[in-house]
Amino acid sequence: MIESKLIWMNGELVDWKQAKVHVLTHALHYGTAVFEGIRCFSTDKGPEVFRLRDHIVRMLESTKIYLMDFPYSVDEICAAVKKTIAANNHRECYIRPLAYYSYGEMGINPLPNKVSLAIAAWEWPSYLGEKAEKAGLRCQVSSWRRIHSSAMPPQAKATANYANASLAKVEALKAGYDEAIMLNQDNHVAEATGENVFKIKGGIISTPPASAGALRGITRDTIIKVATDMGIEVSRNEFSREELYTSDEVFLTGTAAGVTAVREIDGRKIGSNGAYPLTEKLRTTYMDIVHGKVPKYEKWLDYVNA
């Protein structure tokens, strides 16, 4: 990890190495925390946080699902994010706001504990690895199933949910793959461990709906809107792993990962001779948007120095 100087904690900027919690913090034991993953990009007008407000609105929706008595508004958190970026003099960075039940009482019930908020920002150039992102990812369909909404709320971006994703990720890495793709209980594709899944067949883009267990990703929503504006048909529908195998192209989207092509799934080659033309078109457009080069999508850019 590339360390920064300061982290925002409950309204104060504290030294990176002093941003600590008690070992008996409730969230540390029971997974009672929610978070967001956000990116800041450099532009000709200075650093911008991509779709900041959309991320924070989703975070507050997660706190509502987990009955958190959250003391901050969307505007207050957005301002704190910008303050954290500016205090660390970042031009580009990854941002992690984390709301968690803090130290107080132990036990399964989190409600007696105060809800705390921390915001960290650091340089994180490549989440999936530069080599994999350039050449395309090798993915494995995991033996671990994506959590079902009858057991956990998939639309809450809760830390507890990612224990499920971590099992799939480690399984894939130990098998020699870059990433895992998870199915739901009905054997339909849900999502990857930290990204949404898209397939392309006959010029039509498809991605699993939220009802399949896919998180409503901000980057996912961006690509759906951009592709639609390009005149490309986009469908939210369920599909099987076999349909991934026979796709013309497959790609993953996420705040950390951006837009990344998949070149292989379970030993089956995807694409034609390593070419992913539509994925590359969408990836290039996405990068132009986040760097402020497409005026049409300026509304998604939240400038740190504004």
Side-chain angles (χ1 to χ4, degrees):
M1 176 176 286
I2 303 172
E3 294 184 1
S4 297
K5 294 180 180 179
L6 299 166
I7 291 178
W8 190 99
M9 294 187 75
N10 294 322
E12 302 290 335
L13 287 168
V14 302
D15 183 79
W16 179 279
K17 294 185 183 298
Q18 297 305 314
K20 300 175 181 179
V21 297
H22 196 281
V23 71
L24 294 180
T25 294
H26 195 276
L28 185 61
H29 294 257
Y30 300 108
T32 50
V34 301
F35 70 97
E36 279 296 316
I38 312 170
R39 276 202 182 270
C40 173
F41 297 93
S42 61
T43 76
D44 291 340
K45 297 179 183 179
E48 70 85 11
V49 188
F50 189 64
R51 298 191 66 171
L52 173 59
R53 193 171 190 87
D54 292 328
H55 276 287
I56 302 306
V57 166
R58 184 175 68 176
M59 183 177 183
L60 264 65
E61 290 175 349
S62 295
T63 66
K64 183 177 182 179
I65 291 172
Y66 274 88
L67 295 171
M68 289 179 159
D69 185 12
F70 198 59
Y72 300 100
S73 69
V74 172
D75 289 339
E76 287 171 331
I77 303 173
C78 288
V81 167
K82 292 182 182 180
K83 183 176 182 179
T84 306
I85 295 167
N88 287 288
N89 296 313
H90 286 310
R91 286 184 54 78
E92 293 204 344
C93 61
Y94 178 87
I95 307 122
R96 171 59 57 84
L98 175 75
Y100 59 97
Y101 279 107
S102 54
Y103 173 77
E105 294 186 18
M106 291 298 283
I108 297 297
N109 177 21
L111 298 181
N113 299 292
K114 173 187 173 183
V115 176
S116 292
L117 175 65
I119 302 170
W122 68 94
E123 294 180 21
W124 197 359
S126 177
Y127 172 65
L128 293 168
E130 290 184 9
K131 181 179 178 181
E133 290 179 359
K134 288 179 180 178
L137 299 167
R138 296 181 63 249
C139 294
Q140 177 190 54
V141 175
S142 180
S143 67
W144 295 99
R145 298 304 174 97
R146 168 73 168 157
I147 52 172
H148 192 269
S149 59
S150 63
M152 298 278 287
Q155 296 312 314
K157 197 170 174 68
T159 57
N161 293 0
Y162 286 81
N164 173 234
S166 292
L167 287 168
K169 180 75 171 185
V170 171
E171 178 185 55
L173 293 175
K174 285 188 173 292
Y177 292 90
D178 302 310
E179 181 57 296
I181 294 173
M182 304 179 76
L183 306 180
N184 60 25
Q185 297 298 318
D186 298 318
N187 290 324
H188 294 127
V189 175
E191 61 176 32
T193 64
E195 306 86 23
N196 290 113
V197 180
F198 287 79
K199 73 177 183 71
I200 304 171
K201 185 72 171 180
I204 299 173
I205 299 176
S206 301
T207 191
S211 58
L215 180 72
R216 292 186 177 92
I218 304 297
T219 310
R220 168 183 178 267
D221 179 69
T222 299
I223 292 303
I224 289 172
K225 289 176 178 175
V226 169
T228 301
D229 288 348
M230 288 178 173
I232 302 167
E233 183 178 345
V234 181
S235 173
R236 297 175 183 84
N237 63 279
E238 295 184 337
F239 49 84
S240 65
R241 74 168 76 185
E242 307 96 271
E243 291 175 273
L244 284 181
Y245 296 159
T246 58
S247 296
D248 299 328
E249 300 178 46
V250 175
F251 63 92
L252 308 183
T253 66
T255 295
V259 179
T260 305
V262 174
R263 64 183 171 96
E264 181 184 319
I265 302 175
D266 293 344
R268 282 88 167 173
K269 300 280 185 198
I270 307 297
S272 177
N273 299 318
Y276 315 97
L278 189 46
T279 299
E280 182 58 25
K281 182 178 181 180
L282 290 167
R283 189 196 70 80
T284 300
T285 302
Y286 172 75
M287 293 306 295
D288 285 344
I289 290 170
V290 299
H291 286 289
K293 298 178 181 179
V294 187
K296 179 178 181 179
Y297 300 105
E298 184 83 10
K299 62 184 179 181
W300 284 336
L301 314 186
D302 206 326
Y303 291 98
V304 173
N305 301 320

